[in-house]
Amino acid sequence: MSLNNYPLPRPNAQTQAYWDGCAQGELRYQRCAKCGHVQCIPRSLCEQCQGADLQWNASAHSGTVLTFTTVYRAPLPVFKDMVPYVIAIVDMDEGFRVMANALPAAQQGALEIGARVRIGFKDVHGMALPVLESVEDAK
């Protein structure tokens, strides 16, 4: 599989801490120190109270599948060798969401809406990207 033209995220002032965390194996999220609101999308101000005291916290990497889809037709030529692949949106236990591709091992498990999953990271051209690493055993 050639990933030479893989479209990588471009960190900006609001997202740099998130991507720095990914590079260190840490899944980070923003929480407002004033009102406690957890933001799904990093911003410079709290979307709830407009406070500027936003803190980055480390996630425990666990969450619940909100939805997922299997992609059979590549949206760009760079993805052609990857199909079929699974993209999932995961509600993390801390209150934010992550969209990530599922690793083949996770696809083999009982991936379904409501499944408990773990987020890990995959290196793509030197950038650590969140991936759905595994489906946790239901107990």
Side-chain angles (χ1 to χ4, degrees):
M1 165 176 54
S2 172
L3 295 176
N4 289 336
N5 297 318
Y6 194 93
L8 293 171
R10 294 185 179 161
N12 61 34
Q14 282 77 39
T15 64
Q16 187 66 54
Y18 175 83
W19 294 111
D20 289 347
C22 290
Q24 298 168 13
E26 189 174 88
L27 187 61
R28 295 179 182 170
Y29 63 97
Q30 257 185 347
R31 180 186 299 275
C32 178
K34 183 177 176 184
C35 73
H37 178 71
V38 172
Q39 306 205 125
C40 288
I41 299 171
R43 304 174 194 278
S44 57
L45 296 174
C46 174
E47 62 188 358
Q48 189 73 32
C49 73
Q50 305 305 306
D53 190 6
L54 299 169
Q55 300 172 342
W56 286 96
N57 298 288
S59 168
H61 295 243
S62 293
T64 304
V65 174
L66 172 69
T67 190
F68 70 96
T69 189
T70 302
V71 178
Y72 292 98
R73 187 172 185 179
L76 295 171
V78 70
F79 297 113
K80 185 178 179 188
D81 292 339
M82 295 171 61
V83 294
Y85 60 93
V86 175
I87 300 172
I89 297 178
V90 178
D91 281 331
M92 302 304 294
D93 292 346
E94 295 84 3
F96 67 103
R97 286 187 176 150
V98 171
M99 182 169 73
N101 286 1
L103 293 179
Q107 296 175 39
Q108 306 281 326
L111 185 61
E112 60 186 14
I113 293 173
R116 296 287 300 160
V117 296
R118 178 158 179 79
I119 299 294
F121 299 97
K122 178 180 179 179
D123 182 86
V124 177
H125 289 303
M127 187 170 204
L129 301 179
V131 292
L132 198 157
E133 184 175 72
S134 62
V135 177
E136 297 175 0
D137 290 332
K139 295 188 178 167

